[in-house]
Amino acid sequence: MRLTPRQLTASILIGVLLLAGGTSVALAGGQAASDEIHEIGSQEITIQDATITVSDTSLSGPGLPDTTIEDRSYTVAESTTTIEGLTLSVNGETYEICRIEITIEEVGLTLENVELSNGN
């Protein structure tokens, strides 16, 4: 199945939100010296039958379109994204997550006053 640009944007936004939220939970336990790399291992995240609302937000990054979304709703019936070898630095600590698999099933995304920018 080929994703439309709207479905792809919705999947990317949901993935960004999940990574941001999941990272804070996964990284909360690390307490070793700052020059070490903490290996977290593989993570599987499944989000099902939920609605996510993003409002009054700006997202900027390479590949994002330059647009403003006043009020739109999307539904992701099913999507799986796999990220291999993610390295994060938080407060001087480096964390390495070997593999993250995010599965989204029947998740609604409502965007209100969201600005997307490619960073240029």
Side-chain angles (χ1 to χ4, degrees):
M1 175 175 87
R2 185 183 163 123
L3 293 176
T4 66
R6 287 182 179 178
Q7 290 172 322
L8 182 59
T9 300
S11 295
I12 290 170
L13 287 172
I14 290 171
V16 166
L17 293 170
L18 293 174
L19 283 176
T23 300
S24 62
V25 172
L27 301 181
Q31 297 181 359
S34 62
D35 60 345
E36 295 180 21
I37 295 178
H38 309 284
E39 292 186 10
I40 296 175
S42 296
Q43 303 291 314
E44 292 183 18
I45 302 169
T46 300
I47 305 297
Q48 185 174 8
D49 299 326
T51 300
I52 298 170
T53 301
V54 179
S55 61
D56 303 321
T57 303
S58 295
L59 296 174
S60 178
L64 290 177
D66 288 322
T67 189
T68 298
I69 302 169
E70 295 291 328
D71 186 17
R72 297 249 174 107
S73 293
Y74 304 94
T75 300
V76 178
E78 184 176 341
S79 176
T80 299
T81 302
T82 302
I83 300 169
E84 300 284 344
L86 177 67
T87 302
L88 301 169
S89 292
V90 179
N91 296 329
E93 300 283 334
T94 302
Y95 300 88
E96 184 176 277
I97 304 172
C98 299
R99 182 175 170 271
I100 300 172
E101 183 173 295
I102 302 169
T103 301
I104 300 168
E105 297 175 354
E106 297 300 325
V107 172
L109 175 65
T110 300
L111 304 174
E112 299 170 346
N113 193 26
V114 174
E115 182 180 322
L116 302 175
S117 170
N118 69 9
N120 292 329

